[in-house]
Amino acid sequence: MNPINRPSNGSNFPTLVTPAEKLHEALKRRGFLTRVDGDTVVLSAGNGERDARDVRSFLEASGVPICYTEQGCRLQVLCPGITGKICAELNRLQVRYGRSHIPHGFYSWRAFTKRNHGLRWNTLSLDRGIAYLVKALSEAGFLMTGGCDGHGRHEPQVYFASSYAAAWFKIAVQDRLASLPLHYKWEVVEPGDSQGSAKLRASLSAAADRWSLKLIQQDVLAIGDELRRQAESLRAERRNRFKHRSMLAGAERLQHDFAALCEWMGGLL
């Protein structure tokens, strides 16, 4: 999945893009998982069951001519352009749905090792600043239970379903974030107590010493794109590395000692 790399005119959206590419970029900023296929935007299977309907409802209300196929998951753009106003309005879509249902056993070692994909989140159940990150993490096989974008006033954070998922992110992904052009510093924060939740949380940095929803969203897009590029390999590596039943006892013994859990999981071959 290759990002669009076009010259910028200083606005939020690249210049010289086709209508389908521009719609793809706008949908992605709000958190929808999409790709471009010629003049068509394709919603991936990682989206929630309401997402295709929500996108269609917005575009029809905005007067954008689209041909919808495959249960509305393929959007052929029939107009010569997508206006900046429509892109901005799409990005501002507010949370509409409540918390997603967490399946039984979602926090367990078995779920961590066996589930190929996290929850398929309805985009409008997530804050716009972190929606794409939560859904990209889920697509890469990390089990997530939600998050908050900080609303431009405090740090954004997303929540792992278990210490196992957080430790695996720390081992497999966190060091790679250093190579991305990020404004904030994103790190796994271990649970504060046995009942707490491990998080991926941003902190202020020399590059950005105050909170900006626009900058948070730019970071989220960069991290999310990287996760989606690596999604298949991350899922396969997790399944292959943690496939033995004999690992269950060690995992459960260390689940409340995050540093020891990371060391143990990192040492498994």
Side-chain angles (χ1 to χ4, degrees), residues 56-112:
R56 180 167 184 167
S57 176
F58 170 82
L59 293 174
E60 287 181 345
S62 301
V64 181
I66 300 285
C67 177
Y68 301 91
T69 57
E70 296 181 15
Q71 291 76 50
C73 291
R74 292 182 64 89
L75 288 65
Q76 183 183 15
V77 185
L78 304 178
C79 59
I82 303 291
T83 67
K85 179 181 178 182
I86 289 173
C87 293
E89 289 175 350
L90 179 54
N91 189 40
R92 287 195 295 266
L93 285 176
Q94 297 299 306
V95 171
R96 185 177 300 166
Y97 308 119
R99 180 184 174 92
S100 292
H101 170 69
I102 305 299
H104 177 71
F106 196 65
Y107 307 93
S108 68
W109 174 257
R110 177 178 174 81
F112 166 71

Side-chain angles (χ1 to χ4, degrees), residues 109 112-113 164 167-168 171 237-254 260-269:
W109 174 257
F112 166 71
T113 58
Y164 311 130
W168 175 232
I171 293 164
E237 185 179 359
R238 174 177 49 82
R239 288 195 304 271
N240 291 333
R241 184 179 289 215
F242 306 114
K243 63 184 177 182
H244 300 296
R245 292 184 179 179
S246 59
M247 296 174 179
L248 172 62
E252 292 186 337
R253 176 173 52 85
L254 297 172
L261 178 65
C262 289
E263 183 177 359
W264 176 76
M265 290 176 68
L268 294 174
L269 299 177

Side-chain angles (χ1 to χ4, degrees), residues 3 64 72 215 229 249:
V64 181
L215 298 183
R229 281 192 289 271

